[in-house]
Amino acid sequence: GVLRDFGTLWQGHAFREPVLAWEADLPDLSRRLRSLTGPEAEALHAEPLAARALLGAWVPVEAITALETVPRLPLRALGPWPRDVARDVPGRKWAQVEAFAAAAPPVPGLGLVDWCAGKGHLAHALALQWRSPQVQALERDPRLAADCSRRAEALGLPVQGVRCDVMSAQAEASLGTRHHGVALHACGDLHRRLIELGAARGVPALSIAPCCYHLARDPPAALSASGSAHWPGLRDADLRSAVQETVTAGASVRRRRRRLQCWQLGLDALIRECSGRDAWTPLPAVDGRVLAGSFEDYCRLQSARKGIELPGGCDFEAWERRGVQRFAEVSALDLLRHAFRRLLELWLVLDRAMYLAERGYALRVGLFCARELSPRNLLLLARRR
């Protein structure tokens, strides 16, 4: 398919590789992207159609667009909400919960199991809208599970917050032939565990909005037999690419992320220069206090952590400028990789759907909310035949 045929275009990661493998084969595309200024590249990232128009001479954008087109799921009209049901719930989170409740049809007579429930916002909403007789909200954090139960009691809902690590054997007893498993943005191994355990336990219905496929203990691998037969060679970095799009972060969060990335790139260039080693050096995470300081302080902290000796008399201002320059290059080159981002995510979701289909489920995959509300807007609906 398209992913396998054009793998060299989406497998290169400009953040870690100053020169990408495909640039030698497509010198005109390389020159075009590298000619973009930082603001021009950022504007194209914000306008995917314009970006694809630029890439169209080298990339099968029409085929990609056709393959990644997913229908919107039909929405049910929701009943009125009690006055305090969304109290203390962030507005965007509550809107996602509402969208999930409208798009995932209930299965009468089944008890609900909210997987990785947090404070139970989804559990409370579905208990109200689906009039479920019994709802278990599984959550590892005992404080969140207790808060879920308290809120349910205040609202008069049959929701029980259950302290449970869904990766443990304890979770097996929570799923059975009288349950409907639901998960809104359960990450990586967590939603995979629900899929595998739900199928093994004969759960009649699953409604899952997956997220963060890279958060897994094992190396990337297909879940379904069909996916294994058509494996496109995904690596961990490619799983990160599939969920890299963010449209919900605030301006201050984006500024901090950009500063961190510029500093990472500047320090990487400095380390390559002083070590003579042309390879990316993984760096430990830092907190906001470090980012409030100077680039020099950041470099000295990180190099000490990694046991790297920086040269004396280092011109940190020049290396900081180099980081800003590299950030502009990365932003431009990433336009190509990001053109395949949604297709990668769809491949992963359909692999999970095929796993369930191979085990006797009827599947439907569609959009449950707008991209602006959440880029992770794919909902997998499985019903045992």
Side-chain angles (χ1 to χ4, degrees):
V2 169
L3 287 179
R4 286 199 290 185
D5 292 344
F6 293 88
T8 55
L9 302 188
W10 54 262
Q11 287 185 326
H13 289 265
F15 196 86
R16 300 185 175 207
E17 306 164 42
V19 179
L20 298 170
W22 62 260
E23 292 188 78
D25 299 323
L26 298 171
D28 291 344
L29 175 57
S30 174
R31 282 192 294 270
R32 181 68 184 96
L33 292 178
R34 287 184 177 273
S35 72
L36 296 172
T37 65
E40 287 172 339
E42 286 189 35
L44 287 167
H45 277 291
E47 294 292 339
L49 292 179
R52 291 192 173 186
L54 183 149
L55 297 169
W58 301 276
V59 177
V61 293
E62 290 185 5
I64 292 172
T65 301
L67 286 170
E68 68 180 22
T69 300
V70 179
R72 183 78 182 256
L73 290 168
L75 303 181
R76 299 166 52 252
L78 297 179
W81 297 105
R83 186 179 59 182
D84 293 332
V85 69
R87 189 183 65 195
D88 302 326
V89 185
R92 189 179 298 277
K93 177 66 176 178
W94 182 249
Q96 293 170 9
V97 166
E98 283 190 301
F100 188 106
V107 180
L110 296 182
L112 270 180
V113 179
D114 184 2
W115 201 252
C116 307
K119 292 184 178 181
H121 303 316
L122 180 64
H124 299 148
L126 295 182
L128 282 161
Q129 295 295 333
W130 292 2
R131 303 191 183 282
S132 301
Q134 180 189 25
V135 182
Q136 295 181 80
L138 308 188
E139 170 54 47
R140 184 174 63 175
D141 187 328
R143 295 170 299 176
L144 298 182
D147 188 59
C148 171
S149 292
R150 282 194 298 269
R151 290 296 306 279
E153 185 177 0
L155 292 165
L157 298 175
V159 179
Q160 180 185 9
V162 180
R163 181 185 179 185
C164 176
D165 181 350
V166 299
M167 301 302 292
S168 72
Q170 177 193 352
E172 296 181 17
S174 301
L175 289 174
T177 57
R178 300 299 301 167
H179 293 127
H180 183 164
V182 299
L184 174 56
H185 296 154
C187 292
D189 276 345
L190 304 178
H191 73 253
R192 179 169 177 152
R193 168 76 163 158
L194 175 56
I195 289 169
E196 292 177 320
L197 188 57
R201 300 279 294 175
V203 172
L206 294 166
S207 300
I208 302 170
C211 191
C212 299
Y213 309 91
H214 60 285
L215 296 180
R217 292 176 295 190
D218 298 325
L223 190 58
S224 67
S226 177
S228 296
H230 300 88
W231 180 242
L234 300 178
R235 304 164 301 174
D236 183 69
D238 305 320
L239 303 190
R240 292 176 182 272
S241 291
V243 295
Q244 202 169 28
E245 182 182 23
T246 56
V247 296
T248 60
S252 62
V253 173
R254 291 196 298 271
R255 284 194 298 270
R256 285 196 300 273
R257 184 184 299 139
R258 175 174 179 155
R259 167 174 270 206
L260 174 60
Q261 291 174 330
C262 288
W263 283 8
Q264 288 173 325
L265 290 166
L267 178 55
D268 176 63
L270 171 56
I271 291 173
R272 289 176 193 257
E273 176 74 16
C274 68
S275 69
R277 179 171 164 267
D278 190 22
W280 171 260
T281 301
L283 299 170
V286 296
D287 60 29
R289 291 172 297 179
V290 175
L291 294 178
S294 70
F295 175 67
E296 179 177 351
D297 291 340
Y298 171 82
C299 290
R300 294 196 183 282
L301 171 66
Q302 295 287 54
S303 59
R305 286 175 167 180
K306 298 293 293 186
I308 297 171
E309 185 175 350
L310 299 178
C314 188
D315 186 350
F316 287 101
E317 290 185 3
W319 288 109
E320 186 174 11
R321 289 194 297 272
R322 176 60 181 144
V324 173
Q325 179 187 350
R326 279 280 294 126
F327 180 83
E329 293 172 1
V330 168
S331 183
L333 292 169
D334 270 351
L335 287 166
L336 178 58
R337 182 167 59 94
H338 288 179
F340 295 86
R341 184 169 50 195
R342 183 63 158 182
L343 209 53
L344 288 170
E345 182 178 13
L346 267 172
W347 194 97
L348 292 164
V349 172
L350 292 176
D351 172 54
R352 284 144 177 78
M354 287 304 302
Y355 175 87
L356 289 167
E358 290 164 1
R359 282 152 184 81
Y361 286 84
L363 271 300
R364 186 169 189 178
V365 175
L367 305 181
F368 75 95
C369 71
R371 167 181 169 271
E372 292 74 19
L373 183 57
S374 173
R376 308 282 74 75
N377 61 354
L378 294 169
L379 182 58
L380 186 157
L381 302 175
R383 305 291 182 263
R384 185 172 283 281
R385 293 191 181 94

